[in-house]
Amino acid sequence: MTKSPSSKTLVVEGLETRFLTSTGPVAAVRNVSLQVGKGEIVGLVGESGSGKSVTGLSIMGLIDAPGEISAGRALLNGEDLFKATPKRLRQLRGDRIAMIFQDPMMTLNPVLRIDTQMIEAIRAHDPKISRSDARARCRDALAQVGIPAPDERLAGYPHQFSGGMRQRVAIAIAMLNRPDIIIADEPTTALDVTIQAQILAEMQKLCRETGTALIWITHDLTVVAGLTDRVYVMYAGSVVEEGPVDPMLDAPIHPYTDGLIRSIPSHNTPGQRLHQIQGMTPALDRMPQGCRFHPRCPRRTEACLDEIALEPFGDARHARCIHPLLEKRS
């Protein structure tokens, strides 16, 4: 399943996003770097509060005060999104880069018909297209994500759709202008397993057919296993491990990744207690010294109190650990 990207659609380097609090600025995301190629699906994984969603919102330019991007760059086909003007970002969003949110009602206006919203999304970036041509493209987009009777559905309002159907509409809107990359922030978490599986299969097919790159933000490793090509594991605002999905799930390097994998019910023997990672994710304003995971890590030593870099393990894998589960290969 794993493949090498033919080109880098998005390259994020050294991203740091801070928020101003009563005790001063704190970094919710620190020194995050990632990349995704054309048609590639990358997973961004971690517990709640690990910085996954903030990373996605930062790339989209949707961080508002009291937050700010304090360092790094995000190159979309070579153009730095962090240096783009507000006008330029509005041109790019929905056209070259799109986002799917966990709650589709963040995308859909409850008082407007579906066709009105979808046609507006097309004509905002292509004002010369006729309304009839835009409507035809909307109909095709709904059919592409598996919505039956798309002509009838276009005339409906969001409240007339089930949660799964609304999410499909949100995905269709994201795909309308054939963007170079989509960032999906846990869009199937609230859906039942059957609908989730259908949407995952459709997203995978769409990316392969159109060449759209996809960053899938999730805490669910079972989703990552069946959907993605590569995975970035985040903990307390930083990437602690990254690499191709199959080797990572089969033989994790970082103890945190190993803990996440062993917490999956299917990895536990029936009748035994479910494995859990001890302790809690640290608060943003009380981050531990050195390795941020060391207070919860069974392999910790005093050396973990020093700053630890993300280092290579073989050709395609990296981890931020001095006591890895796999030894480095020279």
Side-chain angles (χ1 to χ4, degrees):
M1 180 179 178
T2 303
K3 65 176 185 175
S4 298
S6 57
S7 61
K8 303 298 186 296
T9 300
L10 177 73
V11 177
V12 178
E13 297 176 342
L15 169 63
E16 179 173 299
T17 303
R18 302 189 304 179
F19 289 87
L20 184 62
T21 70
S22 58
T23 58
V26 295
V29 167
R30 178 169 169 263
N31 196 24
V32 167
S33 297
L34 59 86
Q35 61 186 33
V36 55
K38 183 177 180 180
E40 188 182 27
I41 303 177
V42 165
L44 197 57
V45 181
E47 295 173 282
S48 296
S50 62
K52 309 183 302 296
S53 294
V54 172
T55 297
L57 292 170
S58 298
I59 295 169
M60 290 293 299
L62 295 175
I63 298 294
D64 295 323
E68 65 170 358
I69 297 171
S70 52
R73 61 180 187 164
L75 304 178
L76 177 63
N77 296 321
E79 180 178 358
D80 192 348
L81 298 175
F82 296 164
K83 292 182 179 179
T85 64
K87 179 180 179 180
R88 178 58 178 157
L89 283 176
R90 286 193 298 271
Q91 293 173 341
L92 291 170
R93 289 194 207 109
D95 186 35
R96 296 301 87 215
I97 182 169
M99 191 163 189
I100 306 169
F101 297 93
Q102 182 172 345
D103 181 1
M105 296 308 285
M106 292 183 68
T107 301
L108 302 176
N109 188 322
V111 301
L112 295 179
R113 286 180 13 162
I114 297 300
D115 57 357
T116 300
Q117 299 184 57
M118 296 185 73
I119 290 170
E120 182 180 317
I122 293 174
R123 300 188 73 184
H125 300 286
D126 186 5
K128 294 182 180 180
I129 190 171
S130 69
R131 189 173 181 85
S132 60
D133 287 345
R135 183 181 174 84
R137 194 196 297 183
C138 296
R139 182 180 61 246
D140 293 342
L142 291 186
Q144 196 172 28
V145 296
I147 293 181
D151 278 306
E152 178 182 337
R153 291 297 191 172
L154 279 172
Y157 289 85
H159 73 270
Q160 296 173 311
F161 290 67
S162 67
M165 284 294 183
R166 283 197 295 265
Q167 195 59 278
R168 288 172 189 249
V169 172
I171 292 170
I173 290 175
M175 295 293 298
L176 271 178
N177 295 309
R178 295 286 180 91
D180 297 317
I181 185 167
I182 294 175
I183 299 172
D185 191 0
E186 304 203 56
T188 62
T189 299
L191 305 180
D192 66 66
V193 175
T194 302
I195 297 299
Q196 182 185 72
Q198 291 174 355
I199 289 178
L200 292 177
E202 287 157 6
M203 288 300 299
Q204 194 171 50
K205 180 182 177 182
L206 288 170
C207 289
R208 299 295 187 247
E209 290 178 348
T210 65
T212 295
L214 176 64
I215 297 177
W216 193 274
I217 298 172
T218 184
H219 64 275
D220 191 340
L221 284 174
T222 57
V223 169
V224 163
L227 177 69
T228 66
D229 300 303
R230 291 188 301 111
V231 184
Y232 291 83
V233 180
M234 291 190 69
Y235 179 77
S238 296
V239 173
V240 296
E241 184 171 349
E242 65 97 358
V245 61
D246 293 334
M248 183 182 294
L249 295 181
D250 291 339
I253 297 171
H254 198 283
Y256 176 64
T257 309
D258 180 61
L260 289 179
I261 294 170
R262 292 198 292 130
S263 299
I264 301 173
S266 60
H267 281 247
N268 283 259
T269 304
Q272 291 189 353
R273 288 178 62 88
L274 188 66
H275 173 79
Q276 60 181 353
I277 302 173
Q278 299 299 317
M280 299 287 291
T281 303
L284 293 178
D285 59 348
R286 292 191 296 275
M287 286 293 174
Q289 180 181 345
C291 173
R292 296 182 171 190
F293 185 63
H294 85 262
R296 306 174 69 186
C297 182
R299 301 169 70 88
R300 65 182 178 269
T301 64
E302 288 189 7
C304 299
L305 296 175
D306 297 329
E307 193 70 22
I308 298 172
L310 194 68
E311 296 191 2
F313 286 75
D315 295 332
R317 303 182 66 183
H318 295 78
R320 197 182 300 274
C321 186
I322 58 173
H323 300 300
L325 299 172
L326 292 179
E327 294 301 321
K328 292 183 185 178
R329 295 193 296 271
S330 58

